[in-house]
Amino acid sequence: MISVGGTVQGVGFRPYVHRLAIARNLSGFVRNDTAGLTIDVQGDTRALEDFLSALVDHPPPTAVVQRVNTSRAPVRPYRGFQITESADPGLSPRTNVSPDIAVCDECLGELFDPHNRRHRYPFINCTHCGPRLTIIDGVPYDRGLTTMRAFEMCRACRREYENPADRRFHAQPVACAECGPSVKLVDASGCERKGDPMAAAARALAEGHIVAVKGLGGYHLACDAMSCTAIKRLRYRKAREAKPLAVMVPDIAALRALCVVTPPEEALLLSRQRPIVLLQKRGDLDAETASAVHALAPGNPCLGIMLAYTPLHHLLLAECGAPLVMTSGNISDEPIAFEDSDAFDRLGGIADFFLTHDRPIAERCDDSVMRVIVGKLTMLRRSRGFVPSPIDVGIRFPAPVLAVGGQLKNTFCCARDSSAFLSQHIGDLDHSAARLSLANSVARFSSIVGVTPEVVAHDLHPRYASTEFALGIDGVDHIAVQHHHAHIASCMAEHGITDPVIGVAFDGTGYGTDGAIWGGEFLVVDQAGFRRAAHLGYVPMPGGEAAIRRPLRMAVSHLISAYGDDALSLPLELFGRAARNEVALVRQVTAKGFASPPTSSIGRLFDAVSALLGVRDDAQFEGQAAMELEAVADPRTRRLYEFGLSGLTTPPGPGAGGDASIASLAMPLKIDSAPLVRSVVDDILAGVDRRSISGAFHNAVADMILKVAGPLRAATGISKIALSGGVFQNALLTTRATHLLARSGFEVYTQRMVPCNDGGLSLGQAYVVALGNRAPSRTLETTAESCA
Ligand code: ZN
Ligand code: ZN
Ligand code: FE
């Protein structure tokens, strides 16, 4: 008997095993079960060995074999080799469900082949491609437990499904125009349009209309990506003024017309996960294209692009002959619509038409988003194509764990054994729809991946919706994990690190153990917990959350912190752009500490500098001001600004040698941003170009990381350093910091396959449990010895 575990269902594994066995004249059976795959095989010893090595060394392309166990079994009178029915799904499932896979080349060839019986059939798929997670209702992966169960196979499809030599042998979503789902085009009033739905949808798009397109994991909103009018209309109706819109193209050639693409980016775009990839916009576009590309991602040097990944997309793009905007089917930041009735309700005011079909979507799943930073692939949103593939953290979880993540960009994580299953993107829990989605997805996802949680980890913030959800789960142990501790643990989990690390957690906001808003943190993290080793000095956040949307106010607050009341007499343009009384109001509330929580956030410092330079006073989405500050930075600038560091008796030298000792550190060290702010102001007043100022600011932050990490390494002996938190999505900063640290002998770890933003928090929360910290997260009051 052979038992195979990993991602082995829905990837053509059983037909593959069948072919291997038949070719070697072996008898027995293969079947899916809740543990993965069970094979009983008998025959010639050499043939058996050969069979086993083929199985282990050359599994099907989309399978991930994690475990193969073999045992002797009594000889049975098998007749040939069979694929048998799945065993009863009574046990908790231990197999890994495959993510959705982009349409394969063979299916694509058939799709456009007029002689093929599936010519232009939008749901063509095979064992190598097609929907998986988004059609699965339960495990094992069999048609009866997918949303395809409503479609009875026709004779032709059944013949393929039952033929071991066929590419569609036991392909659960197999279908054709005769028996499978079908597409229709419906207008906003619910009337179906006559004629070919693809051609009619393409016509509507060409006329500037907005079409909601039902895809794999939900509805997209599509419009002509080369029409500024259509883009403006979509932005207005969707209430998405400035946030970038993703574009879909049929092939790499179409993409090259808009963006510059490097070989690693091209490989990523063509991968079977087909994520959205952020690519550099071309600088030599004609005026008309340039203005459309600007409208798609204003103030951003990059454009998010993906290749068509379902047959339906390929047909639609072939009809259109132009790139299409393909943005999430939602209003603002709510979860994307995936159920038909909900889509009509919520998108009825946005879309003029719906290109829809009757294959239900079992689970919402957004597109994944990636970017190449420092030459390496970096995940910004891990969702379709990657979920629910597990992340092997290298150590065992002491019990099944559910970690519920943060408030924004929420994901959750189910963990068992040494596998962490990160959920798809749930979204911002400020929206009630997203909170509901969290509860529903947790129930469904945890059963699919076979985790019945005994420990529930959540953020320390008492008012995060995810925290409230976690605390509502009875009969489990609850663990609160501090936000930045989770960021660093997420990076450790991804790299399987169990040794102590110096963690640099730079982001916008996270609830600190002292109730302040943290976000510019140096932590020493070990198996027992974390110690706050250094942080940015506190600056008031005028009006709290409101300051996030108004970087200008954060700039005024930083000016007051740096200059006192003299700030107001500085001849800065910023004051002219402020609303009447706005500056006075900021001064008043910060002086009184009224509605102005103290923050050590470096994200807010980026905001402040962005506003000081006149790059952005108002932010329509989180991180916008910082993103635009990065975009204007001149990367050739070598200058940098100084900052202050207190708590250290010997000043940090370049590269920070081994002369500091723990006795010379008054933990936590405090980083004073006032000198930096004053240097920025001096340069502004001296008329220095803002591109150069932004460049020097980025250099200063990279330098700050090195100059603080140096003494911490000297004091603790730790030279592993983990960088995480949303600020490290900034490619310029991450590149600079990584180079500086590596040159000074640090082992630098950054997040790659898990987002460094709050989308990666849940993995970190779960990993804190695995690291052995089952007690509520705490700041260790101990000496450095416990961390070294
Ligand atoms: Zn295929
Ligand atoms: Zn059929
Ligand atoms: Fe964060």
Side-chain angles (χ1 to χ4, degrees), residues 327-462:
T327 187
S328 345
N330 55 12
I331 301 167
S332 199
D333 292 320
E334 289 178 3
I336 54 167
F338 72 107
E339 285 159 327
D340 299 331
S341 61
D342 179 51
F344 278 88
D345 280 356
R346 287 203 285 142
L347 307 181
I350 304 177
D352 303 301
F353 295 95
F354 289 80
L355 185 63
T356 183
H357 58 75
D358 53 355
R359 184 179 71 198
I361 297 172
E363 178 72 295
R364 166 189 289 127
C365 198
D366 287 72
D367 296 314
S368 295
V369 184
M370 298 182 78
R371 178 181 188 182
V372 174
I373 299 183
V374 206
K376 287 184 188 148
L377 310 180
T378 305
M379 191 72 76
L380 302 181
R381 182 164 77 197
R382 186 182 185 275
S383 215
R384 176 185 50 77
F386 296 94
V387 175
S389 293
I391 295 151
D392 184 355
V393 301
I395 55 171
R396 287 185 69 82
F397 290 90
V401 180
L402 166 68
V404 297
Q407 177 78 1
L408 301 178
K409 297 186 170 68
N410 179 272
T411 64
F412 59 89
C413 178
C414 293
R416 58 166 160 84
D417 310 321
S418 63
S419 295
F421 299 86
L422 203 53
S423 79
Q424 74 275 28
H425 173 76
I426 302 295
D428 294 353
L429 300 185
D430 294 343
H431 296 279
S432 61
R435 293 195 289 273
L436 190 66
S437 170
L438 173 66
N440 290 339
S441 294
V442 164
R444 189 174 160 277
F445 191 85
S446 57
S447 95
I448 286 180
V449 300
V451 170
T452 310
E454 291 169 22
V455 179
V456 175
H458 57 85
D459 195 272
L460 193 61
H461 199 305

Side-chain angles (χ1 to χ4, degrees), residues 475-682:
V476 295
D477 286 349
H478 290 99
I479 292 181
V481 181
Q482 198 278 327
H483 191 95
H484 303 93
H485 184 197
H487 271 309
I488 299 307
S490 179
C491 186
M492 293 168 75
E494 191 182 335
H495 296 285
I497 299 173
T498 52
D499 304 341
V501 301
I502 295 168
V504 185
F506 277 8
D507 68 358
T509 41
Y511 190 80
T513 51
D514 58 357
I517 297 168
W518 293 9
E521 313 302 314
F522 289 74
L523 312 177
V524 174
V525 178
D526 67 8
Q527 300 205 358
F530 78 96
R531 188 161 42 112
R532 193 183 197 196
H535 64 89
L536 241 67
Y538 287 135
V539 169
M541 227 169 112
E545 294 264 302
I548 299 174
R549 293 184 294 275
R550 182 75 171 152
L552 183 140
R553 285 190 195 166
M554 213 48 232
V556 175
S557 178
H558 265 285
L559 286 171
I560 293 171
S561 292
Y563 292 91
D565 275 352
D566 293 348
L568 306 191
S569 49
L570 291 164
L572 288 166
E573 278 177 26
L574 173 104
F575 294 125
R577 297 195 308 271
R580 226 167 72 94
N581 294 333
E582 191 175 13
V583 174
L585 194 73
V586 169
R587 193 177 130 221
Q588 220 172 55
V589 295
T590 53
K592 288 191 185 141
F594 173 71
S596 300
T599 184
S600 57
S601 165
I602 195 145
R604 297 290 87 81
L605 179 61
F606 271 83
D607 283 359
V609 173
S610 187
L612 275 172
L613 297 188
V615 172
R616 179 145 295 277
D617 296 333
D618 281 296
Q620 266 125 32
F621 59 92
E622 194 215 7
Q624 185 185 16
M627 257 174 51
E628 293 179 8
L629 183 64
E630 178 192 358
V632 303
D634 181 353
R636 289 164 311 181
T637 309
R638 289 280 156 254
R639 298 181 312 118
L640 54 80
Y641 302 123
E642 297 297 324
F643 58 92
L645 187 61
S646 58
L648 199 68
T649 50
T650 42
D659 53 342
S661 76
I662 191 67
S664 66
L665 300 175
M667 295 264 199
L669 303 179
K670 208 169 293 156
I671 303 158
D672 183 7
S673 59
L676 199 157
V677 170
R678 286 194 293 263
S679 304
V680 169
V681 169
D682 286 348

Side-chain angles (χ1 to χ4, degrees), residues 104 107 125-126 129 167:
C104 73
C107 286
N125 67 82
C126 72
C129 74
R167 205 170 86 247

Side-chain angles (χ1 to χ4, degrees), residues 2 16-17 19-26 41 43-59:
I2 305 169
Y16 175 71
V17 169
R19 281 196 295 277
L20 287 182
I22 296 293
R24 287 163 185 76
N25 231 332
L26 301 170
V41 64
D44 178 67
T45 316
R46 289 249 338 243
L48 281 173
E49 277 168 12
D50 190 44
F51 171 86
L52 195 62
S53 64
L55 191 81
V56 174
D57 299 339
H58 309 285

